[in-house]
Amino acid sequence: MKYKRTVAILAPLLVLAGVGGWFAYQKLHPAPAITHILCMGDSITASDYGDYTAHMTDRFRESRAPIEVTSAARPGNTSGEYLRWMRETGLLERTNPHLVVLMLGTNDARVDGDHTPTPLFVKNMHAILDRIAAHHNPDTTTPAVILATVPPIPEPSLEVFNQSSQRRVEKEINPAIRQLARQRRLHLADVHGFFRQRIELMSGVHPTPQGYSALGDFLFREARVFLTGQQNAPEKERLPDNMRGTIAFESNRDGNFDIYLMNTDGVRRLTRSPARDGFPSFSPTFDRIAFESDRSGRFEIHTIDRSGRIEKLFASPTRDRSPWWTLDGKYIYFDRLVDGKEQVFRFHLEKKKVEAVTSGRHRTAVPTVSPDGNILLATGHRHMGWDLLRIDLSDGKESVFTPGYGGCRAKYSHSGEYVAFVSHKFDKRGDIILTPAAEFSPTRLTVDGDRHDYYPAFSVDDRHIVYASGPQLYDGNYDLCIVEIATRRTWTITNHPATDYKPVWGEWGNP
């Protein structure tokens, strides 16, 4: 009887422990979210001649990427017919894609009743792209687009195509597609150029079976690069040529954690200390960087100027981390450990005075302040987990800024119009979310479901966001990535086995 009573008592506890362990495992090892790719096109996409989307699917399966490919091919369709079909069938509403691969134009070059004048083709393509841009998925993302040129026609193999069709594909249709990509800042997949170099893979108007396979491989690489920024390792890590400014970040690539700088010339080390230096924040005049360092034995706030001179601003009674320099240059906000919990403080640079901003029994950390100095956003733990808190600095009134999203590690855009932050809502790993600062209206920017995306910061022109992406939560091999806000095109700009993270984007000259 005693044994049975013991079992009766322990059994529910063991079940609860198992369930708790399962939830803990799920939190640490969440299943990757699925990224949906929709391939829109005509018979060059999929038909009885072949199906590049099937080969594309095979490649993603081989790479074990959490990506699903759906064909939305309409053999024989012109751009106008396809536009009408996608309207009538609610294509985007049915599929909710994260990425669209759009390739139309071959049938617009026909010589029968489907002949489409180039200005009308361009108008139709704009209308298709406008519908894609206006669509919002349930996870708040707007589909990104890869716009593809169409293959050459080496020999008209169908009676509805002739030498005029050949000429139009070369001189009108593809130049119009390239112009569309430039005008709308879209990623261009040059399918035409791909087949020009492999013309034996074309059989008249359509690719050969081997051509469809090769096209699937080509567009797999284009989509994978677009979604993750993972290109062949560059010889030199640097900011892309079309982007200005300097990114400061924390890295342990030389052994311990220091501050590094990246611009279009490459990467250089800014601080050199056996201690840990990290979490950089530019001054509004870009002549100094605030950072946290434990070089005194505990984390305290320091600054470094362009000459390399380092100054500790004040002594901490506990530990001070996560500095943020306000746009007016008056304050550096930071979080301090008080009775074992983080609270937000600020240092008045002119008065040399530390002031408490938050207090109480709850944790409030990682502050960022609006450019007008009125609103503090901070990562706060109140009752049931972490949220992004909005605190009015005039009266201390506090509210949850990201209801239903959790949220942490926010940054204001330089204009103050937008806020970027991290949320685990969709893939349980961490995505970069964008919202207007005035009203919470979130848009998911990153959808790479097998990685953790953290620490967003806006470019100096507010057109891009730099962030850190890694396979593990908080540490491990994080690399820096950039996402273009308008198109969601992504670049990976570091390629190092170390941890590169906590970036901030400003200006910085050479000493």
Side-chain angles (χ1 to χ4, degrees):
M1 291 295 294
K2 183 176 180 181
Y3 172 77
K4 290 183 178 180
R5 283 198 303 271
T6 302
V7 171
I9 293 170
L10 288 178
L13 296 177
L14 290 171
V15 170
L16 286 173
V19 171
W22 183 84
F23 278 114
Y25 179 85
Q26 291 297 310
K27 184 173 181 62
L28 292 173
H29 306 279
I34 302 298
T35 298
H36 298 280
I37 299 176
L38 181 66
C39 299
M40 297 168 57
D42 49 31
S43 57
I44 308 298
T45 295
S47 66
D48 291 341
Y49 294 94
D51 182 352
Y52 85 69
T53 66
H55 299 288
M56 196 177 182
T57 297
D58 290 342
R59 291 300 308 275
F60 277 117
R61 285 176 179 166
E62 291 168 4
S63 68
R64 299 183 180 276
I67 290 175
E68 289 185 355
V69 179
T70 300
S71 172
R74 295 287 294 171
N77 269 198
T78 63
S79 57
E81 290 170 328
Y82 199 95
L83 172 62
R84 185 164 52 253
W85 175 75
M86 69 181 293
R87 284 172 176 164
E88 292 173 350
T89 62
L91 173 63
L92 298 174
E93 292 74 17
R94 289 188 291 108
T95 55
N96 290 309
H98 295 110
L99 175 64
V100 169
V101 180
L102 176 60
M103 182 168 52
L104 287 168
T106 297
N107 288 305
D108 294 87
R110 289 164 63 143
V111 294
D112 60 357
D114 283 335
H115 172 90
T116 307
T118 302
L120 181 56
F121 166 71
V122 171
K123 181 180 178 181
N124 292 336
M125 293 296 283
H126 272 301
I128 291 171
L129 292 167
D130 287 343
R131 291 188 69 84
I132 295 170
H135 177 73
H136 292 281
N137 294 321
D139 65 0
T140 77
T141 56
T142 296
V145 177
I146 293 177
L147 185 60
T149 54
V150 298
I153 302 177
E155 192 66 39
S157 56
L158 300 173
E159 62 183 14
V160 294
F161 294 91
N162 62 17
Q163 281 72 27
S164 173
S165 304
Q166 286 180 303
R167 183 195 62 80
R168 288 196 65 209
V169 164
E170 299 295 324
K171 302 297 184 181
E172 297 181 27
I173 299 297
N174 279 320
I177 292 171
R178 292 188 174 93
Q179 179 65 16
L180 275 167
R182 287 192 294 269
Q183 287 177 344
R184 302 186 70 118
R185 299 182 59 82
L186 300 176
H187 181 86
L188 182 72
D190 191 7
V191 170
H192 178 266
F194 174 79
F195 280 111
R196 266 279 167 227
Q197 298 177 357
R198 302 163 181 80
I199 203 66
E200 73 279 1
L201 295 178
M202 292 296 299
S203 176
V205 174
H206 296 91
T208 65
Q210 295 79 12
Y212 275 99
S213 177
L215 180 57
D217 290 345
F218 172 72
L219 290 174
F220 158 77
R221 293 191 297 271
E222 292 286 316
R224 185 64 177 164
V225 166
F226 183 93
L227 288 170
T228 68
Q230 293 177 349
Q231 305 180 40
N232 292 329
E235 293 182 5
K236 188 175 185 180
E237 298 169 308
R238 64 186 188 90
L239 201 60
D241 287 331
N242 63 333
M243 301 180 194
R244 67 183 181 89
T246 300
I247 293 172
F249 63 98
E250 179 181 341
S251 177
N252 61 350
R253 55 177 55 206
D254 288 307
N256 63 299
F257 282 94
D258 277 300
I259 306 296
Y260 290 77
L261 301 175
M262 172 187 284
N263 58 21
T264 53
D265 293 327
V267 175
R268 68 181 179 93
R269 189 176 178 181
L270 183 63
T271 65
R272 297 176 181 272
S273 169
R276 178 166 187 160
D277 299 337
F279 217 102
S281 176
F282 282 101
S283 70
T285 53
F286 302 127
D287 58 350
R288 286 188 291 170
I289 292 174
F291 64 98
E292 62 183 32
S293 177
D294 63 354
R295 56 185 64 204
S296 67
R298 64 181 65 177
F299 278 102
E300 295 175 306
I301 307 302
H302 296 67
T303 63
I304 184 170
D305 63 21
R306 290 181 178 177
S307 70
R309 184 176 66 88
I310 293 176
E311 176 187 4
K312 185 173 81 171
L313 297 181
F314 50 89
S316 173
T318 55
R319 75 110 185 91
D320 299 339
R321 304 193 73 171
S322 312
W324 179 254
W325 213 314
T326 60
L327 186 62
D328 60 12
K330 291 175 61 177
Y331 297 102
I332 293 176
Y333 281 71
F334 59 95
D335 59 61
R336 170 174 288 178
L337 210 58
V338 178
D339 297 328
K341 293 182 172 65
E342 299 92 341
Q343 297 296 338
V344 174
F345 286 72
R346 67 186 183 187
F347 178 67
H348 196 296
L349 285 142
E350 184 177 341
K351 295 179 181 179
K352 309 294 183 186
K353 181 182 178 182
V354 174
E355 303 167 351
V357 179
T358 67
S359 60
R361 60 189 181 89
H362 297 298
R363 300 169 67 185
T364 310
V366 198
T368 185
V369 178
S370 60
D372 62 13
N374 295 330
I375 302 298
L376 166 69
L377 295 179
T379 304
H381 194 285
R382 291 301 181 258
H383 303 290
M384 296 296 290
W386 293 96
D387 282 298
L388 195 58
L389 303 179
R390 183 186 187 276
I391 301 172
D392 191 319
L393 291 172
S394 65
D395 57 15
K397 185 178 179 180
E398 176 186 300
S399 60
V400 174
F401 182 63
T402 53
Y405 275 69
C408 63
R409 293 166 177 80
K411 289 288 192 302
Y412 275 96
S413 63
H414 295 275
S415 68
E417 187 176 358
Y418 292 97
V419 170
F421 66 97
V422 178
S423 174
H424 287 215
K425 178 179 176 66
F426 299 109
D427 64 9
K428 311 303 180 187
R429 290 172 180 256
D431 292 307
I432 307 303
I433 311 293
L434 182 74
T435 180
E439 180 182 5
F440 187 61
S441 180
T443 297
R444 184 182 177 193
L445 289 182
T446 61
V447 292
D448 189 9
D450 58 351
R451 296 178 70 82
H452 301 267
D453 299 332
Y454 266 73
Y455 306 105
F458 286 85
S459 62
V460 290
D461 59 8
D462 288 341
R463 288 173 50 190
H464 300 86
I465 290 174
V466 61
Y467 62 97
S469 183
Q472 300 169 220
L473 189 63
Y474 301 134
D475 57 16
N477 182 210
Y478 271 79
D479 280 310
L480 298 187
C481 300
I482 293 173
V483 60
E484 185 175 39
I485 295 171
T487 66
R488 292 220 335 264
R489 182 182 180 186
T490 305
W491 295 260
T492 297
I493 57 172
T494 63
N495 184 38
H496 197 283
T499 300
D500 298 329
Y501 62 175
K502 302 177 185 176
V504 65
W505 203 327
E507 301 275 7
W508 194 258
N510 292 318

